Amino acid sequence: MSDILNIKNLNVHYDKFHAVKGINLSLKKKDIIVVCGPSGSGKSTLIRAIAGLEKYSSGEILINNNKMSEKEVMKNNIFGMVFQQFNLFPHLTILENITLPLRKVKKYKKNEANKIAIEVLNKVKIKDQKDKYPSTLSGGQQQRCAIARSLAMNPGIMLFDEPTSALDPEMIKEVLDVMSDLAHLGMTMIVVTHEMGFAKNLANKIIFMDDGQIVEENTPDNFFNNPSEDRTKIFLEQILKH
């Protein structure tokens, strides 16, 4: 199977600060890649650069072996992005939050947009909350709505930037369960997370970053049981203590 995403020697600079350094990464359909590492290691910058939300200084991002403009990436709904914060419109109901981009971007009629919204809300198990406003929902429910909003646009690849980091511990599981369901349905995903259980059970590749670079790229089995880099071992010792 050929790669659907190829990242070649990607660099991101903020003035003199080199945030992402020479990243090479490939992704096939149905792959689930987990990116982990300490704070400030460049994980979020990398995923935002992939999504077209950060300008990169040099390198290439190829989609199906083509270099696409940001406009083409948006038009073809290549990426669905889920952030730490839910970014929902507080004055719109859950249903309206999902139908708005369908109507504005995809030009769907109201009935058509509503039908898609109900389908994705059902997928993330909050269909019964459709007429409520974000402020009346728990953090976990709001994040599931944010996931549904991305899914409604029918993206080829879902990108998650620490989707559980703003949640209370008891709400983390409900979001991870939805992500697990998507994985089992064959969704292609890149997930920046510290949730090592998710990484161990569902990823087929784990990338460990530090100081803007990929330190280690490995299978989950080898990453957890036989990491090749000392820096990875230190990270795992620290994170698995908690």
Side-chain angles (χ1 to χ4, degrees):
M1 196 186 291
S2 61
D3 296 335
I4 59 170
L5 178 68
N6 249 310
I7 297 162
K8 298 183 176 180
N9 197 28
L10 195 75
N11 291 277
V12 179
H13 288 87
Y14 299 120
D15 294 324
K16 289 181 181 175
F17 178 61
H18 198 172
V20 167
K21 303 173 182 174
I23 298 290
N24 293 290
L25 182 61
S26 62
L27 185 75
K28 289 182 167 53
K29 200 168 173 54
K30 297 188 180 181
D31 271 357
I32 297 167
I33 293 180
V34 163
V35 183
C36 60
S39 293
S41 58
K43 312 179 297 293
S44 290
T45 305
L46 171 62
I47 206 166
R48 287 175 66 84
I50 294 169
L53 301 171
E54 295 281 356
K55 291 221 178 297
Y56 52 95
S57 322
S58 61
E60 282 187 324
I61 297 176
L62 301 175
I63 297 154
N64 295 320
N65 291 320
N66 294 314
K67 193 168 185 180
M68 287 189 179
S69 68
E70 281 174 31
K71 201 174 272 185
E72 286 173 306
V73 168
M74 297 296 177
K75 188 182 169 192
N76 291 290
N77 302 310
I78 305 295
F79 301 114
M81 182 88 184
V82 178
F83 302 89
Q84 296 177 33
Q85 304 300 331
F86 323 123
N87 298 342
L88 301 173
F89 292 110
H91 63 292
L92 299 180
T93 65
I94 295 306
L95 187 72
E96 289 165 344
N97 263 282
I98 294 168
T99 57
L100 182 70
L102 287 169
R103 294 173 69 186
K104 295 287 183 192
V105 179
K106 288 205 161 188
K107 308 298 181 195
Y108 286 164
K109 291 188 168 62
K110 187 177 180 179
N111 287 350
E112 209 176 354
N114 283 353
K115 188 180 171 216
I116 292 167
I118 296 295
E119 281 172 13
V120 292
L121 284 170
N122 204 28
K123 239 178 211 175
V124 301
K125 302 179 175 70
I126 51 166
K127 189 175 80 172
D128 56 334
Q129 309 292 328
K130 66 182 174 62
D131 297 319
K132 293 184 180 176
Y133 289 90
S135 62
T136 67
L137 271 58
S138 71
Q141 289 171 325
Q142 289 185 62
Q143 189 60 294
R144 284 188 277 159
C145 175
I147 293 170
R149 182 179 53 190
S150 283
L151 286 176
M153 301 298 280
N154 196 27
I157 302 168
M158 283 289 284
L159 305 174
F160 294 87
D161 185 10
E162 301 202 30
T164 59
S165 66
L167 299 177
D168 292 335
E170 66 268 22
M171 293 171 192
I172 290 172
K173 184 181 182 300
E174 63 191 59
V175 172
L176 291 177
D177 284 348
V178 164
M179 292 168 66
S180 299
D181 290 345
L182 293 179
H184 291 308
L185 289 169
M187 177 60 75
T188 309
M189 295 154 71
I190 302 177
V191 184
V192 172
T193 186
H194 287 309
E195 298 297 334
M196 292 295 106
F198 177 88
K200 190 178 271 188
N201 295 328
L202 287 161
N204 56 308
K205 190 189 291 181
I206 300 181
I207 284 164
F208 172 63
M209 286 183 70
D210 193 21
D211 192 29
Q213 303 173 78
I214 292 177
V215 175
E216 179 155 353
E217 183 176 325
N218 221 326
T219 62
D221 190 36
N222 283 332
F223 183 82
F224 287 104
N225 300 316
N226 189 27
S228 59
E229 300 295 327
D230 288 340
R231 181 66 189 89
T232 313
K233 290 172 190 170
I234 293 165
F235 173 77
L236 285 171
E237 278 169 19
Q238 289 171 339
I239 203 161
L240 295 176
K241 273 180 197 168
H242 300 296

